[in-house]
Amino acid sequence: MGNSPFTPGLAAGRLPAKDLATNFGDLHPPLEHHEAVVAADRCYFCHDAPCMEACPTSIDIPLFIRQIATGTPEAAAKTIFDQNILGGMCARVCPTETLCEEVCVRETAEGKPVEIGRLQRYATDTLMAASWHPFTRAEPTGKTVAVVGAGPAGLACAHRLAMKGHDVVVFDARAKAGGLNEYGIASYKSVDSFAQKEVDWLLQIGGITVETGKALGDGLSLDGLKADYDAVFLGIGLSGVNSLRAEGEDTGNVADAVDFIAELRQAGDLSALKIGRNVVVIGGGMTAVDAAVQSKLLGAENVTMVYRRGQDRMSASEYEQELAASKGVRIVTHAMPKAVIGNGAVREVEFEYTKDGPNGLEPTGETFRLPADQLFRAIGQRLEGAPDGLTLDGGKIAVTGAGRTSLGGVWAGGDCASGGDDLTVTAVAEGRDAAEDIHAALSA
Ligand SMILES: Cc1cc2nc3c(=O)[nH]c(=O)nc-3n(C[C@H](O)[C@H](O)[C@H](O)COP(=O)(O)OP(=O)(O)OC[C@H]3O[C@@H](n4cnc5c(N)ncnc54)[C@H](O)[C@@H]3O)c2cc1C
Ligand code: SF4
């Protein structure tokens, strides 16, 4: 007999292949042409549009929606890509419910925003399906730039620099380019290898060489890059993971949620991936939700997310929390891990309830245990491997203006840089703006 959600311990193939295919299908199926026109017709094409203000990449949203309404989705896509070259991925992963759609006047008036994200996907998918790259390079400048990190920040920076006529080499430690678009974003947000297709499409600009398997600090040095290139951009993300600081954390089957998600994203066959019957995820952000939801979709019987503060403090949006609940994930708040219990492999996790006190979170002394045969840590990522000599601010690379670091000739952006809010779209905006600043510096 095969495995099922009730099989004890870790097991692969808890669900039939066809259920896995359904579970990991597109979360928001793309709009058909007529649906896109109907959705676009709901836009008031506001002057001083609040949606545009709320977009970290400042896409001219009313303009691109009007272009869809008038039957020119390729022009709409060009409007989007002018500001955000990863507009295809952002259409899939942006928490629009807390950005453009939250402030849409139709949301304010009627509680139902214009579906900006889905319209953006309709436009960008249309153009990308035509395999057309709507940008060309300026005359070669003879300048070279090294970009470290091929995530959204690095790719956006590289594309803008290539457009300006500079020659760019992008180095990445991993085997594939894309950063968390390839290794982090939940599978059901980016199906059909979209991340790699988008990288290939972006590179059509020309002038960008990608060298994977090359890590700064392991063969590459910042001094070396500074000597060999006219400028350096660092978009190395946050590769460290915070620990729980709970007793027994090194017990078997305790893992970082980001590693589990990366393994899942790279798995050729989801039915070969082992998952626990009782899975516990510790954390309250997007990573915790993604790990919990995907555990459930793989067939875990019980998945519980535990967060130390109240639900209103969770960094996962209300929409993400509802998504988790709708997939059967239980969310426990005001509890922090005390001990991981098990002989060789986790069997239970002990928690202590917390309460908000005048000086912050306080333990209450009241404890409880949850059965667990798999435990995922999702309590935040941190910068690891920042080159020596750079000033840090709050554990990230300190930047001023458009990504200028404390070292001349070195810029940084995306998750690894100070400020920002650890979103794909913000990383794109920072990479793009740093490229403009690098271009200005190289042209001076
Ligand atoms: C699980 C998870 C789910 C998420 N879901 C969403 C979502 O749904 N929506 C959203 O908007 N945001 C989401 N985010 C956040 C989003 O993915 C990041 O904000 C975004 O990817 C940051 O882009 P980046 O280019 O700064 O860094 P990254 O995407 O992390 O890319 C950094 C790149 O640098 C490389 N690198 C690191 N160190 C070195 C080195 N020493 N040398 C060479 N290369 C190096 C890495 O291999 C990587 O390719 C999620 C994050 C996680 C962890
Ligand atoms: S706020 Fe809403 S209605 Fe106004 S332009 Fe933006 S999407 Fe259209």
Side-chain angles (χ1 to χ4, degrees):
M1 213 177 81
N3 290 324
S4 80
F6 310 111
T7 308
L10 262 62
R14 288 183 180 273
L15 297 177
K18 71 171 181 13
D19 290 2
L20 289 173
T22 309
N23 285 355
F24 286 90
D26 223 329
L27 182 63
H28 300 296
L31 292 172
E32 298 288 339
H33 172 69
H34 69 280
E35 291 173 317
V37 173
V38 170
D41 271 344
R42 290 191 64 238
C43 179
Y44 292 147
F45 312 117
C46 310
H47 183 64
D48 288 337
C51 55
M52 192 172 156
E53 288 285 307
C55 172
T57 51
S58 308
I59 292 171
D60 192 337
I61 294 169
L63 174 62
F64 95 68
I65 295 182
R66 189 186 293 278
Q67 289 165 320
I68 292 175
T70 54
T72 53
E74 288 87 355
K78 173 74 170 43
T79 301
I80 295 160
F81 290 134
D82 277 340
Q83 291 296 106
N84 180 339
I85 198 63
L86 296 177
M89 183 59 83
C90 288
R92 290 161 166 78
V93 308
C94 260
T96 50
E97 66 281 359
T98 59
L99 296 170
C100 54
E101 292 180 13
E102 182 180 43
V103 298
C104 171
V105 296
R106 296 209 69 154
E107 165 67 19
T108 325
E110 301 158 38
K112 189 173 183 304
V114 174
E115 289 183 283
I116 302 169
R118 292 183 83 195
L119 284 166
Q120 178 165 320
R121 174 163 175 190
Y122 170 75
T124 51
D125 279 3
T126 304
L127 187 146
M128 288 170 79
S131 289
W132 174 49
H133 192 85
F135 301 98
T136 47
R137 296 190 70 195
E139 286 298 307
T141 60
K143 304 280 185 190
T144 59
V145 183
V147 169
V148 187
L155 290 171
C157 182
H159 185 272
R160 187 57 63 111
L161 288 166
M163 253 174 75
K164 303 279 187 193
H166 308 299
D167 286 327
V168 186
V169 181
V170 182
F171 299 97
D172 200 289
R174 297 244 204 192
K176 290 187 195 170
L180 290 171
N181 286 356
E182 174 60 34
Y183 292 97
I185 296 293
S187 300
Y188 45 79
K189 290 186 186 171
S190 172
V191 301
D192 298 331
S193 306
F194 180 75
Q196 285 313 295
K197 289 180 187 160
E198 188 176 47
V199 171
D200 294 342
W201 174 85
L202 180 148
L203 294 177
Q204 285 179 30
I205 183 76
I208 304 173
T209 309
V210 179
E211 297 203 13
T212 52
K214 296 244 171 102
L216 188 66
D218 182 14
L220 290 180
S221 74
L222 187 55
D223 284 345
L225 293 177
K226 281 184 72 184
D228 293 346
Y229 295 84
D230 295 300
V232 180
F233 174 81
L234 301 175
I236 55 176
L238 302 173
S239 52
V241 175
N242 294 333
S243 69
L244 296 177
R245 281 179 281 168
E247 200 184 306
E249 197 177 335
D250 52 2
T251 308
N253 298 342
V254 177
D256 293 329
V258 284
D259 290 343
F260 160 65
I261 292 168
E263 190 186 352
L264 195 151
R265 282 293 307 272
Q266 300 305 309
D269 175 11
L270 288 176
S271 60
L273 208 61
K274 287 186 178 170
I275 192 75
R277 177 181 182 176
N278 296 305
V279 177
V280 173
V281 182
I282 297 178
M286 203 143 29
T287 305
V289 168
D290 286 354
V293 168
Q294 292 181 108
S295 300
K296 195 73 192 158
L297 297 180
L298 282 173
E301 184 195 1
N302 301 303
V303 180
T304 313
M305 246 178 88
V306 186
Y307 178 56
R308 66 196 173 124
R309 300 180 190 276
Q311 193 143 3
D312 55 323
R313 299 284 300 276
M314 286 171 72
S315 61
S317 69
E318 216 171 293
Y319 167 80
E320 301 268 349
Q321 294 176 37
E322 277 166 19
L323 175 73
S326 75
K327 299 293 179 194
V329 173
R330 185 176 158 226
I331 300 178
V332 175
T333 56
H334 273 119
M336 62 182 189
K338 294 283 289 176
V340 179
I341 298 147
N343 188 4
V346 52
R347 195 182 70 245
E348 283 182 318
V349 190
E350 184 171 281
F351 293 91
E352 180 171 1
Y353 281 114
T354 63
K355 62 176 185 194
D356 295 308
N359 300 317
L361 212 57
E362 290 173 7
T364 61
E366 193 185 340
T367 61
F368 67 97
R369 288 184 178 192
L370 287 177
D373 27 44
Q374 202 163 22
L375 173 66
F376 293 123
R377 280 179 288 249
I379 53 169
Q381 285 101 252
R382 58 187 160 72
L383 178 64
E384 219 170 58
D388 290 342
L390 286 167
T391 303
L392 301 187
D393 174 11
K396 293 190 171 193
I397 300 171
V399 292
T400 50
R404 290 187 181 210
T405 69
S406 56
L407 292 179
V410 182
W411 280 255
D415 287 2
C416 70
S418 60
D421 48 14
D422 295 357
L423 291 176
T424 309
V425 67
T426 313
V428 173
E430 291 177 3
R432 175 202 66 190
D433 294 347
E436 290 288 349
D437 201 48
I438 293 170
H439 174 64
L442 295 184
S443 315

